[in-house]
Amino acid sequence: MEDKLTQVGEELRHKALPHDTLAQARRKGLQRAKRQRKQSIRVWSGVAIAAIFVLSFTLSIRLSPQFAQSMAKVPGVSLFVDLISTDKGVRDIISHDYYEVLNVAQTKGGLTFTLQGVIADTSGMVLNYKLESSKPVQNLSPQISILQDGSPLAASIGQYNSGDETKFEQGKLIHVVSPESISYENPNFELQVKIDQELETTFTLPFTLEKPIAKTKKVSLNQSLTFEGQELIVEAIAIAPLRAKVTIRVPEDNTMRLLDIEKLQLIDELGEIWKQGGIISAHGDLESGLVHYYLQSNYFREPKKLALEIGDIQALPKGDDYVEIDVEHGKVTHVPQFIEADIWVENDEIHVVMPARDEKESTFSFTSPVDARGETPRSINVVTGINDGKDRNIYMFDFEQMQSPIRLNVQNYPNYLEGEEKIDIDIK
């Protein structure tokens, strides 16, 4: 079998994949997408089930004194209800009293910003805050940064509205994800908040973590997996209270570019999937060769064994995975045969018109434009819409910034590598 896969890989190096083969694979991918969409529809049709779950959660607070006592300590508890209902690991964090209350507040210009608490580990943080106003305001979008030793954390920061909002008050969760382990040798941090209104308001809230940070469980794997002759290497897994991080490297000598991994999940020795649907977020990408995937972590359940399952990998042959455009002469110089789209250049605009997505099907999409130097536009507007049964996308940017030719790399396409693989992991 290994010899056969090697032979297939060598043939792919020297031969483009036939249009009919890709078309057939695309049809298989669309059928798979339909099945996945139907499963998704079944999930969403169970809104009543979700409501029952939330009700069950409420009853569990009433029926479990220990859990109720833990939740009672959490300022802004309503912010965590949605998260707890979808993430068992966060519920465990609360019930194990790992959440730390801060209650640091500052008032300026009729606004009061209160940093209520934090969950912190080496993978990042989740902070909850409340913003109150003396005047009716809604949909404020503060700009958030977190400093340690006067320098911003090397992390991505996102805010999520939990629906806990009135005319005079809103609450949000701040999710901080760091690809490198955060050090807590110095537990002193500073939250900087900037709000653009009629008068710009900036809050500075120093906070110090008092509780000890849970030790991250790290397992080095370096296991190579092969899917239709294409290799990926699972380098390591790191399990912290908030997230489980899976690090994957993709060798450069693959003959196909891996676009996406749709199935990546952890299963414990009891057969429980840690996160239905798999990936919460990611840092890096498969194209760059190194990516960190973040999954739900059931850290406090202290599993002794885990299984990592990987499958449903999208891939396209290298050299046939992009659209190339000579912007100097306004010409489209390369379009893969399987791409069903009209593409042209008009002024400082790239127009892409493709068949509209059916609710039961999945088509494809592109990344941002990349020039011959590998750079993306400093400023770009992307206008999307549906007209006359077509998906219309217009990429607008200053062509003079870019060095021709420009590529639109395929971001996802329903062409899947066959097979699934499983890695057994012992947790020490």
Side-chain angles (χ1 to χ4, degrees):
M1 178 61 71
E2 291 182 359
D3 292 339
K4 185 176 180 180
L5 289 174
T6 302
Q7 180 181 356
V8 171
E10 288 300 320
E11 290 175 357
L12 281 171
R13 290 178 189 272
H14 304 291
K15 183 177 181 180
L17 202 59
H19 173 60
D20 291 343
T21 303
L22 266 180
Q24 182 180 6
R26 179 177 182 270
R27 286 193 293 271
K28 289 181 180 179
L30 290 177
Q31 291 171 358
R32 182 187 311 212
K34 288 181 181 180
R35 293 195 300 270
Q36 293 171 343
R37 181 63 61 91
K38 288 179 181 178
Q39 292 172 357
S40 175
I41 290 172
R42 282 195 286 268
V43 171
W44 284 108
S45 65
V47 173
I49 296 175
I52 291 171
F53 186 91
V54 173
L55 177 61
S56 300
F57 166 72
T58 304
L59 291 175
S60 72
I61 295 178
R62 294 177 183 172
L63 298 175
S64 171
Q66 181 181 4
F67 191 62
Q69 185 179 8
S70 297
M71 294 300 294
K73 297 178 182 178
V74 182
V77 61
S78 60
L79 294 178
F80 285 93
V81 170
D82 289 341
L83 191 56
I84 289 171
S85 69
T86 58
D87 194 324
K88 296 181 289 291
V90 174
R91 177 170 179 169
D92 290 345
I93 284 171
I94 301 298
S95 63
H96 282 78
D97 198 28
Y98 190 69
Y99 171 89
E100 183 163 349
V101 177
L102 296 174
N103 272 338
V104 180
Q106 191 175 43
T107 300
K108 286 185 177 181
L111 293 174
T112 299
F113 189 99
T114 304
L115 176 57
Q116 296 174 312
V118 61
I119 302 169
D121 62 25
T122 57
S123 76
M125 302 178 182
V126 175
L127 307 99
N128 60 314
Y129 73 79
K130 179 171 62 175
L131 184 59
E132 300 167 282
S133 174
S134 59
K135 299 178 181 179
V137 291
Q138 284 182 298
N139 301 319
L140 293 178
S141 298
Q143 300 176 36
I144 302 290
S145 58
I146 300 176
L147 282 66
Q148 185 182 39
D149 290 330
S151 300
L153 285 180
S156 60
I157 299 176
Q159 299 180 66
Y160 300 89
N161 193 337
S162 69
D164 188 9
E165 183 172 330
T166 68
K167 291 183 179 180
F168 299 93
E169 181 179 317
Q170 72 177 31
K172 290 187 179 181
L173 297 177
I174 303 171
H175 288 247
V176 181
V177 182
S178 175
E180 303 297 332
S181 295
I182 295 178
S183 171
Y184 291 94
E185 290 185 6
N186 177 2
N188 300 305
F189 296 86
E190 184 177 276
L191 180 69
Q192 291 186 350
V193 182
K194 182 179 178 182
I195 300 174
D196 291 322
Q197 283 185 302
E198 295 177 2
L199 295 176
E200 187 176 283
T201 306
T202 301
F203 298 96
T204 301
L205 299 97
F207 63 96
T208 300
L209 302 184
E210 303 289 347
K211 291 190 175 184
I213 302 299
K215 183 179 179 181
T216 298
K217 302 170 185 178
K218 299 180 179 180
V219 181
S220 179
L221 296 170
N222 290 316
Q223 291 204 25
S224 174
L225 305 178
T226 302
F227 301 83
E228 293 190 37
Q230 309 305 307
E231 183 186 18
L232 60 80
I233 299 168
V234 181
E235 291 194 337
I237 181 172
I239 304 172
L242 279 172
R243 307 170 186 96
K245 180 174 72 173
V246 179
T247 300
I248 292 178
R249 182 165 56 85
V250 181
E252 293 183 0
D253 57 0
N254 279 342
T255 58
M256 302 183 79
R257 179 164 68 89
L258 307 188
L259 307 180
D260 190 20
I261 300 177
E262 294 185 3
K263 182 177 182 180
L264 182 68
Q265 59 189 25
L266 287 167
I267 304 175
D268 64 22
E269 62 262 45
L270 300 178
E272 181 178 4
I273 300 175
W274 278 18
K275 172 67 177 179
Q276 293 287 349
I279 301 165
I280 297 174
S281 62
H283 187 276
D285 55 66
L286 293 168
E287 185 174 4
S288 68
L290 185 67
V291 59
H292 305 286
Y293 289 108
Y294 296 92
L295 314 180
Q296 175 182 299
S297 173
N298 290 3
Y299 179 93
F300 286 104
R301 304 192 182 193
E302 299 183 343
K304 301 298 185 291
K305 292 184 178 181
L306 290 172
L308 177 66
E309 293 187 349
I310 301 178
D312 291 349
I313 300 175
Q314 291 187 6
L316 286 174
K318 291 181 179 179
D320 212 21
D321 56 344
Y322 62 87
V323 170
E324 189 169 84
I325 300 167
D326 181 350
V327 294
E328 292 181 359
H329 300 92
K331 294 181 179 179
V332 180
T333 56
H334 176 73
V335 179
Q337 290 185 9
F338 59 87
I339 294 294
E340 299 175 5
D342 295 323
I343 304 171
W344 70 91
V345 177
E346 184 177 312
N347 300 323
D348 277 7
E349 300 174 351
I350 299 175
H351 293 249
V352 179
V353 179
M354 64 186 78
R357 298 169 184 265
D358 187 278
E359 289 184 358
K360 297 180 181 179
E361 295 186 352
S362 173
T363 54
F364 57 90
S365 63
F366 296 106
T367 63
S368 293
V370 179
D371 73 1
R373 299 166 297 186
E375 297 183 0
T376 57
R378 291 191 294 271
S379 177
I380 181 172
N381 291 321
V382 182
V383 178
T384 63
I386 299 177
N387 187 23
D388 297 331
K390 302 284 188 179
D391 270 344
R392 300 178 183 272
N393 302 274
I394 305 175
Y395 301 84
M396 298 181 290
F397 56 95
D398 183 2
F399 284 2
E400 293 185 359
Q401 297 177 8
M402 312 290 283
Q403 182 174 318
S404 194
I406 288 177
R407 288 186 177 183
L408 298 176
N409 291 315
V410 178
Q411 187 171 31
N412 56 68
Y413 187 84
N415 181 58
Y416 293 86
L417 300 178
E418 292 295 329
E420 292 186 359
E421 295 286 348
K422 184 176 76 170
I423 297 175
D424 294 318
I425 304 168
D426 290 325
I427 308 298
K428 298 179 181 179

